[in-house]
Amino acid sequence: MNKKNKNEEKIEETTEENIPETSDEDDAVAEYNDTATEIASLEDALNDANNKYIRLFAEYDNYRKRTAKEKTETYGNATAKCIEELLPVIDSFERSLEAECADENFKNGMSMIFGQLKNFLNKMNVTAIEALGAEFDPNVHNAISQQDGTDYESNHVCKVFQKGYKIGDKLIRPAMVAVAV
C-alpha cells in the first residue's frame, strides 16, 4: 500500500497543482479577454463621440457661415429697398434742377443739396447705369419704345426716359430707354 499511497499522492499533487495553474491561466485569459473587450468597447465609444464632435463642429461652422451670409444679404436687400424708395425723389430733383429759375441763390442751394444727395449715393456704392449710346442690354435696360432715323446704330440706346441704378453689381432699377432700329 505504500506504493499505492505514493502514486495516489503524486496523482493528487499533480492534479491539485495543475488545477490551480489552469484556473490561474484561465482566469488570466478571461481577465485579458474582458479587458480587451472593455478596451474595444471604450475605443468604439471614443470613436463615436469623436465622430459626433466632428459632425457637430462642421454643422456649427456651416451655421456660422450661413448666418453671416444671410446677414450680409439682408443688409444688402434692405439698402437696395431704401435706395429704390429714394430714386423717385432723385429723379424729381434732377428735373427740378433742369427747370428755369429766376432766383439764382435758390438754384445754387438746390444744386448743393443735390450734390450732398449724390455723395450719399456714392458712399452707399450706388451708381447710375450709363445708357445713352450704349448697346441695348435687357439685363439693365427696359426698352419702352423703338425709334427710326436716329444718329445711333441699330440696337443701341438712343434716348433715356428714366435713369437706371445699381448697388455694386446688383440692379436696383433698370433704365427706361428707347432703342434705335
Side-chain angles (χ1 to χ4, degrees), residues 137-164:
D137 180 2
N139 295 321
V140 293
H141 300 130
N142 181 15
I144 58 172
S145 71
Q146 293 180 340
Q147 294 185 351
D148 288 331
T150 62
D151 294 338
Y152 295 96
E153 293 179 34
S154 179
N155 202 33
H156 280 70
V157 175
C158 60
K159 187 173 184 180
V160 177
F161 297 107
Q162 187 179 46
K163 283 185 178 179

PDB file of all heavy atoms in Angstrom, residues 137-164:
ATOM      1  N   ASP A 137     -28.964  96.284 -73.540  1.00  0.00           N
ATOM      2  CA  ASP A 137     -28.752  95.097 -72.713  1.00  0.00           C
ATOM      3  C   ASP A 137     -30.022  94.880 -71.893  1.00  0.00           C
ATOM      4  O   ASP A 137     -30.327  95.675 -71.000  1.00  0.00           O
ATOM      5  CB  ASP A 137     -27.556  95.300 -71.788  1.00  0.00           C
ATOM      6  CG  ASP A 137     -27.277  94.100 -70.903  1.00  0.00           C
ATOM      7  OD1 ASP A 137     -27.984  93.074 -71.015  1.00  0.00           O
ATOM      8  OD2 ASP A 137     -26.329  94.187 -70.085  1.00  0.00           O
ATOM      9  N   PRO A 138     -30.774  93.823 -72.183  1.00  0.00           N
ATOM     10  CA  PRO A 138     -32.042  93.614 -71.468  1.00  0.00           C
ATOM     11  C   PRO A 138     -31.867  93.369 -69.969  1.00  0.00           C
ATOM     12  O   PRO A 138     -32.821  93.476 -69.218  1.00  0.00           O
ATOM     13  CB  PRO A 138     -32.653  92.387 -72.149  1.00  0.00           C
ATOM     14  CG  PRO A 138     -31.529  91.712 -72.837  1.00  0.00           C
ATOM     15  CD  PRO A 138     -30.519  92.771 -73.160  1.00  0.00           C
ATOM     16  N   ASN A 139     -30.651  93.102 -69.534  1.00  0.00           N
ATOM     17  CA  ASN A 139     -30.397  92.898 -68.109  1.00  0.00           C
ATOM     18  C   ASN A 139     -30.398  94.208 -67.328  1.00  0.00           C
ATOM     19  O   ASN A 139     -30.678  94.216 -66.130  1.00  0.00           O
ATOM     20  CB  ASN A 139     -29.065  92.187 -67.892  1.00  0.00           C
ATOM     21  CG  ASN A 139     -29.072  90.785 -68.456  1.00  0.00           C
ATOM     22  OD1 ASN A 139     -30.063  90.078 -68.367  1.00  0.00           O
ATOM     23  ND2 ASN A 139     -27.964  90.393 -69.065  1.00  0.00           N
ATOM     24  N   VAL A 140     -30.072  95.321 -67.999  1.00  0.00           N
ATOM     25  CA  VAL A 140     -30.009  96.613 -67.302  1.00  0.00           C
ATOM     26  C   VAL A 140     -30.876  97.687 -67.963  1.00  0.00           C
ATOM     27  O   VAL A 140     -31.011  98.784 -67.419  1.00  0.00           O
ATOM     28  CB  VAL A 140     -28.555  97.123 -67.182  1.00  0.00           C
ATOM     29  CG1 VAL A 140     -27.750  96.225 -66.269  1.00  0.00           C
ATOM     30  CG2 VAL A 140     -27.893  97.263 -68.529  1.00  0.00           C
ATOM     31  N   HIS A 141     -31.431  97.406 -69.121  1.00  0.00           N
ATOM     32  CA  HIS A 141     -32.271  98.376 -69.825  1.00  0.00           C
ATOM     33  C   HIS A 141     -33.688  97.830 -69.976  1.00  0.00           C
ATOM     34  O   HIS A 141     -33.870  96.649 -70.221  1.00  0.00           O
ATOM     35  CB  HIS A 141     -31.716  98.685 -71.219  1.00  0.00           C
ATOM     36  CG  HIS A 141     -30.333  99.251 -71.206  1.00  0.00           C
ATOM     37  ND1 HIS A 141     -29.334  98.747 -72.000  1.00  0.00           N
ATOM     38  CD2 HIS A 141     -29.786 100.267 -70.501  1.00  0.00           C
ATOM     39  CE1 HIS A 141     -28.221  99.438 -71.791  1.00  0.00           C
ATOM     40  NE2 HIS A 141     -28.473 100.361 -70.881  1.00  0.00           N
ATOM     41  N   ASN A 142     -34.649  98.730 -69.874  1.00  0.00           N
ATOM     42  CA  ASN A 142     -36.047  98.389 -70.108  1.00  0.00           C
ATOM     43  C   ASN A 142     -36.495  99.201 -71.317  1.00  0.00           C
ATOM     44  O   ASN A 142     -36.751 100.400 -71.204  1.00  0.00           O
ATOM     45  CB  ASN A 142     -36.884  98.719 -68.873  1.00  0.00           C
ATOM     46  CG  ASN A 142     -38.338  98.369 -69.041  1.00  0.00           C
ATOM     47  OD1 ASN A 142     -38.710  97.643 -69.956  1.00  0.00           O
ATOM     48  ND2 ASN A 142     -39.171  98.895 -68.154  1.00  0.00           N
ATOM     49  N   ALA A 143     -36.569  98.561 -72.472  1.00  0.00           N
ATOM     50  CA  ALA A 143     -36.935  99.264 -73.707  1.00  0.00           C
ATOM     51  C   ALA A 143     -38.446  99.484 -73.720  1.00  0.00           C
ATOM     52  O   ALA A 143     -39.218  98.540 -73.654  1.00  0.00           O
ATOM     53  CB  ALA A 143     -36.509  98.446 -74.917  1.00  0.00           C
ATOM     54  N   ILE A 144     -38.838 100.771 -73.811  1.00  0.00           N
ATOM     55  CA  ILE A 144     -40.274 101.068 -73.864  1.00  0.00           C
ATOM     56  C   ILE A 144     -40.697 101.561 -75.245  1.00  0.00           C
ATOM     57  O   ILE A 144     -41.887 101.696 -75.503  1.00  0.00           O
ATOM     58  CB  ILE A 144     -40.679 102.075 -72.771  1.00  0.00           C
ATOM     59  CG1 ILE A 144     -39.900 103.373 -72.896  1.00  0.00           C
ATOM     60  CG2 ILE A 144     -40.487 101.453 -71.397  1.00  0.00           C
ATOM     61  CD1 ILE A 144     -40.390 104.456 -71.959  1.00  0.00           C
ATOM     62  N   SER A 145     -39.701 101.819 -76.098  1.00  0.00           N
ATOM     63  CA  SER A 145     -40.041 102.182 -77.478  1.00  0.00           C
ATOM     64  C   SER A 145     -38.844 101.955 -78.388  1.00  0.00           C
ATOM     65  O   SER A 145     -37.716 101.782 -77.933  1.00  0.00           O
ATOM     66  CB  SER A 145     -40.498 103.647 -77.563  1.00  0.00           C
ATOM     67  OG  SER A 145     -39.408 104.518 -77.363  1.00  0.00           O
ATOM     68  N   GLN A 146     -39.149 101.975 -79.711  1.00  0.00           N
ATOM     69  CA  GLN A 146     -38.107 101.878 -80.724  1.00  0.00           C
ATOM     70  C   GLN A 146     -38.234 103.112 -81.607  1.00  0.00           C
ATOM     71  O   GLN A 146     -39.340 103.587 -81.872  1.00  0.00           O
ATOM     72  CB  GLN A 146     -38.291 100.618 -81.572  1.00  0.00           C
ATOM     73  CG  GLN A 146     -38.077  99.341 -80.814  1.00  0.00           C
ATOM     74  CD  GLN A 146     -38.274  98.118 -81.702  1.00  0.00           C
ATOM     75  OE1 GLN A 146     -38.897  98.190 -82.747  1.00  0.00           O
ATOM     76  NE2 GLN A 146     -37.730  96.995 -81.266  1.00  0.00           N
ATOM     77  N   GLN A 147     -37.092 103.627 -82.050  1.00  0.00           N
ATOM     78  CA  GLN A 147     -37.119 104.830 -82.881  1.00  0.00           C
ATOM     79  C   GLN A 147     -36.305 104.614 -84.148  1.00  0.00           C
ATOM     80  O   GLN A 147     -35.211 104.058 -84.098  1.00  0.00           O
ATOM     81  CB  GLN A 147     -36.586 106.035 -82.103  1.00  0.00           C
ATOM     82  CG  GLN A 147     -37.480 106.428 -80.947  1.00  0.00           C
ATOM     83  CD  GLN A 147     -37.012 107.698 -80.255  1.00  0.00           C
ATOM     84  OE1 GLN A 147     -35.935 108.197 -80.533  1.00  0.00           O
ATOM     85  NE2 GLN A 147     -37.833 108.201 -79.360  1.00  0.00           N
ATOM     86  N   ASP A 148     -36.888 105.113 -85.277  1.00  0.00           N
ATOM     87  CA  ASP A 148     -36.196 105.077 -86.571  1.00  0.00           C
ATOM     88  C   ASP A 148     -35.548 106.430 -86.812  1.00  0.00           C
ATOM     89  O   ASP A 148     -35.932 107.443 -86.244  1.00  0.00           O
ATOM     90  CB  ASP A 148     -37.192 104.812 -87.713  1.00  0.00           C
ATOM     91  CG  ASP A 148     -37.697 103.380 -87.713  1.00  0.00           C
ATOM     92  OD1 ASP A 148     -36.945 102.504 -87.257  1.00  0.00           O
ATOM     93  OD2 ASP A 148     -38.841 103.153 -88.152  1.00  0.00           O
ATOM     94  N   GLY A 149     -34.577 106.446 -87.703  1.00  0.00           N
ATOM     95  CA  GLY A 149     -33.974 107.696 -88.151  1.00  0.00           C
ATOM     96  C   GLY A 149     -33.214 108.427 -87.062  1.00  0.00           C
ATOM     97  O   GLY A 149     -33.305 109.645 -86.950  1.00  0.00           O
ATOM     98  N   THR A 150     -32.473 107.724 -86.240  1.00  0.00           N
ATOM     99  CA  THR A 150     -31.662 108.380 -85.202  1.00  0.00           C
ATOM    100  C   THR A 150     -30.200 108.347 -85.620  1.00  0.00           C
ATOM    101  O   THR A 150     -29.815 107.665 -86.567  1.00  0.00           O
ATOM    102  CB  THR A 150     -31.828 107.665 -83.852  1.00  0.00           C
ATOM    103  OG1 THR A 150     -31.355 106.329 -83.974  1.00  0.00           O
ATOM    104  CG2 THR A 150     -33.270 107.670 -83.385  1.00  0.00           C
ATOM    105  N   ASP A 151     -29.395 109.067 -84.918  1.00  0.00           N
ATOM    106  CA  ASP A 151     -27.959 109.105 -85.188  1.00  0.00           C
ATOM    107  C   ASP A 151     -27.232 107.914 -84.557  1.00  0.00           C
ATOM    108  O   ASP A 151     -26.012 107.819 -84.655  1.00  0.00           O
ATOM    109  CB  ASP A 151     -27.360 110.398 -84.631  1.00  0.00           C
ATOM    110  CG  ASP A 151     -27.884 111.625 -85.362  1.00  0.00           C
ATOM    111  OD1 ASP A 151     -28.338 111.471 -86.511  1.00  0.00           O
ATOM    112  OD2 ASP A 151     -27.841 112.722 -84.777  1.00  0.00           O
ATOM    113  N   TYR A 152     -27.968 107.035 -83.918  1.00  0.00           N
ATOM    114  CA  TYR A 152     -27.359 105.904 -83.211  1.00  0.00           C
ATOM    115  C   TYR A 152     -27.474 104.634 -84.053  1.00  0.00           C
ATOM    116  O   TYR A 152     -28.359 104.497 -84.881  1.00  0.00           O
ATOM    117  CB  TYR A 152     -28.055 105.685 -81.856  1.00  0.00           C
ATOM    118  CG  TYR A 152     -27.857 106.849 -80.916  1.00  0.00           C
ATOM    119  CD1 TYR A 152     -28.815 107.847 -80.814  1.00  0.00           C
ATOM    120  CD2 TYR A 152     -26.703 106.952 -80.151  1.00  0.00           C
ATOM    121  CE1 TYR A 152     -28.635 108.921 -79.956  1.00  0.00           C
ATOM    122  CE2 TYR A 152     -26.510 108.018 -79.292  1.00  0.00           C
ATOM    123  CZ  TYR A 152     -27.483 108.998 -79.192  1.00  0.00           C
ATOM    124  OH  TYR A 152     -27.285 110.055 -78.354  1.00  0.00           O
ATOM    125  N   GLU A 153     -26.553 103.719 -83.814  1.00  0.00           N
ATOM    126  CA  GLU A 153     -26.558 102.439 -84.518  1.00  0.00           C
ATOM    127  C   GLU A 153     -27.762 101.614 -84.087  1.00  0.00           C
ATOM    128  O   GLU A 153     -28.357 101.845 -83.027  1.00  0.00           O
ATOM    129  CB  GLU A 153     -25.282 101.655 -84.185  1.00  0.00           C
ATOM    130  CG  GLU A 153     -24.006 102.274 -84.702  1.00  0.00           C
ATOM    131  CD  GLU A 153     -22.787 101.452 -84.315  1.00  0.00           C
ATOM    132  OE1 GLU A 153     -22.894 100.197 -84.262  1.00  0.00           O
ATOM    133  OE2 GLU A 153     -21.746 102.061 -84.070  1.00  0.00           O
ATOM    134  N   SER A 154     -28.083 100.640 -84.902  1.00  0.00           N
ATOM    135  CA  SER A 154     -29.193  99.743 -84.587  1.00  0.00           C
ATOM    136  C   SER A 154     -28.892  98.988 -83.288  1.00  0.00           C
ATOM    137  O   SER A 154     -27.753  98.609 -83.020  1.00  0.00           O
ATOM    138  CB  SER A 154     -29.393  98.754 -85.732  1.00  0.00           C
ATOM    139  OG  SER A 154     -30.439  97.871 -85.433  1.00  0.00           O
ATOM    140  N   ASN A 155     -29.909  98.795 -82.499  1.00  0.00           N
ATOM    141  CA  ASN A 155     -29.837  98.086 -81.223  1.00  0.00           C
ATOM    142  C   ASN A 155     -29.004  98.827 -80.176  1.00  0.00           C
ATOM    143  O   ASN A 155     -28.436  98.208 -79.286  1.00  0.00           O
ATOM    144  CB  ASN A 155     -29.332  96.655 -81.402  1.00  0.00           C
ATOM    145  CG  ASN A 155     -29.744  95.757 -80.261  1.00  0.00           C
ATOM    146  OD1 ASN A 155     -30.817  95.932 -79.684  1.00  0.00           O
ATOM    147  ND2 ASN A 155     -28.896  94.811 -79.919  1.00  0.00           N
ATOM    148  N   HIS A 156     -28.934 100.159 -80.288  1.00  0.00           N
ATOM    149  CA  HIS A 156     -28.260 100.987 -79.293  1.00  0.00           C
ATOM    150  C   HIS A 156     -29.292 101.936 -78.687  1.00  0.00           C
ATOM    151  O   HIS A 156     -30.271 102.319 -79.328  1.00  0.00           O
ATOM    152  CB  HIS A 156     -27.109 101.788 -79.917  1.00  0.00           C
ATOM    153  CG  HIS A 156     -25.875 100.975 -80.107  1.00  0.00           C
ATOM    154  ND1 HIS A 156     -25.780  99.970 -81.036  1.00  0.00           N
ATOM    155  CD2 HIS A 156     -24.688 100.998 -79.459  1.00  0.00           C
ATOM    156  CE1 HIS A 156     -24.581  99.415 -80.972  1.00  0.00           C
ATOM    157  NE2 HIS A 156     -23.896 100.031 -80.011  1.00  0.00           N
ATOM    158  N   VAL A 157     -29.063 102.310 -77.458  1.00  0.00           N
ATOM    159  CA  VAL A 157     -29.978 103.203 -76.752  1.00  0.00           C
ATOM    160  C   VAL A 157     -29.846 104.602 -77.346  1.00  0.00           C
ATOM    161  O   VAL A 157     -28.750 105.167 -77.421  1.00  0.00           O
ATOM    162  CB  VAL A 157     -29.668 103.224 -75.244  1.00  0.00           C
ATOM    163  CG1 VAL A 157     -30.537 104.239 -74.526  1.00  0.00           C
ATOM    164  CG2 VAL A 157     -29.831 101.842 -74.647  1.00  0.00           C
ATOM    165  N   CYS A 158     -30.988 105.169 -77.796  1.00  0.00           N
ATOM    166  CA  CYS A 158     -30.963 106.492 -78.406  1.00  0.00           C
ATOM    167  C   CYS A 158     -31.617 107.561 -77.518  1.00  0.00           C
ATOM    168  O   CYS A 158     -31.433 108.752 -77.747  1.00  0.00           O
ATOM    169  CB  CYS A 158     -31.630 106.460 -79.784  1.00  0.00           C
ATOM    170  SG  CYS A 158     -33.345 105.955 -79.761  1.00  0.00           S
ATOM    171  N   LYS A 159     -32.357 107.137 -76.494  1.00  0.00           N
ATOM    172  CA  LYS A 159     -32.986 108.098 -75.598  1.00  0.00           C
ATOM    173  C   LYS A 159     -33.217 107.433 -74.244  1.00  0.00           C
ATOM    174  O   LYS A 159     -33.586 106.263 -74.173  1.00  0.00           O
ATOM    175  CB  LYS A 159     -34.312 108.569 -76.179  1.00  0.00           C
ATOM    176  CG  LYS A 159     -34.958 109.691 -75.421  1.00  0.00           C
ATOM    177  CD  LYS A 159     -36.167 110.217 -76.154  1.00  0.00           C
ATOM    178  CE  LYS A 159     -36.739 111.412 -75.409  1.00  0.00           C
ATOM    179  NZ  LYS A 159     -37.907 111.946 -76.075  1.00  0.00           N
ATOM    180  N   VAL A 160     -32.989 108.206 -73.163  1.00  0.00           N
ATOM    181  CA  VAL A 160     -33.189 107.698 -71.809  1.00  0.00           C
ATOM    182  C   VAL A 160     -34.364 108.452 -71.190  1.00  0.00           C
ATOM    183  O   VAL A 160     -34.336 109.672 -71.083  1.00  0.00           O
ATOM    184  CB  VAL A 160     -31.918 107.879 -70.943  1.00  0.00           C
ATOM    185  CG1 VAL A 160     -32.171 107.411 -69.514  1.00  0.00           C
ATOM    186  CG2 VAL A 160     -30.737 107.152 -71.549  1.00  0.00           C
ATOM    187  N   PHE A 161     -35.386 107.702 -70.803  1.00  0.00           N
ATOM    188  CA  PHE A 161     -36.556 108.307 -70.159  1.00  0.00           C
ATOM    189  C   PHE A 161     -36.386 108.371 -68.643  1.00  0.00           C
ATOM    190  O   PHE A 161     -36.844 109.316 -68.005  1.00  0.00           O
ATOM    191  CB  PHE A 161     -37.830 107.528 -70.506  1.00  0.00           C
ATOM    192  CG  PHE A 161     -38.158 107.546 -71.963  1.00  0.00           C
ATOM    193  CD1 PHE A 161     -37.969 106.420 -72.750  1.00  0.00           C
ATOM    194  CD2 PHE A 161     -38.641 108.696 -72.574  1.00  0.00           C
ATOM    195  CE1 PHE A 161     -38.267 106.437 -74.099  1.00  0.00           C
ATOM    196  CE2 PHE A 161     -38.937 108.719 -73.925  1.00  0.00           C
ATOM    197  CZ  PHE A 161     -38.749 107.581 -74.682  1.00  0.00           C
ATOM    198  N   GLN A 162     -35.755 107.362 -68.100  1.00  0.00           N
ATOM    199  CA  GLN A 162     -35.522 107.303 -66.655  1.00  0.00           C
ATOM    200  C   GLN A 162     -34.213 106.558 -66.413  1.00  0.00           C
ATOM    201  O   GLN A 162     -33.993 105.488 -66.972  1.00  0.00           O
ATOM    202  CB  GLN A 162     -36.680 106.563 -65.975  1.00  0.00           C
ATOM    203  CG  GLN A 162     -36.634 106.590 -64.474  1.00  0.00           C
ATOM    204  CD  GLN A 162     -37.829 105.864 -63.875  1.00  0.00           C
ATOM    205  OE1 GLN A 162     -38.179 104.767 -64.304  1.00  0.00           O
ATOM    206  NE2 GLN A 162     -38.463 106.478 -62.900  1.00  0.00           N
ATOM    207  N   LYS A 163     -33.342 107.145 -65.578  1.00  0.00           N
ATOM    208  CA  LYS A 163     -32.056 106.513 -65.287  1.00  0.00           C
ATOM    209  C   LYS A 163     -32.244 105.209 -64.525  1.00  0.00           C
ATOM    210  O   LYS A 163     -33.169 105.071 -63.732  1.00  0.00           O
ATOM    211  CB  LYS A 163     -31.191 107.438 -64.426  1.00  0.00           C
ATOM    212  CG  LYS A 163     -30.535 108.564 -65.161  1.00  0.00           C
ATOM    213  CD  LYS A 163     -29.613 109.295 -64.192  1.00  0.00           C
ATOM    214  CE  LYS A 163     -28.886 110.421 -64.879  1.00  0.00           C
ATOM    215  NZ  LYS A 163     -28.009 111.131 -63.928  1.00  0.00           N
ATOM    216  N   GLY A 164     -31.320 104.314 -64.766  1.00  0.00           N
ATOM    217  CA  GLY A 164     -31.271 103.073 -64.007  1.00  0.00           C
ATOM    218  C   GLY A 164     -30.145 103.154 -62.993  1.00  0.00           C
ATOM    219  O   GLY A 164     -29.192 103.922 -63.159  1.00  0.00           O
TER     220      GLY A 164
END
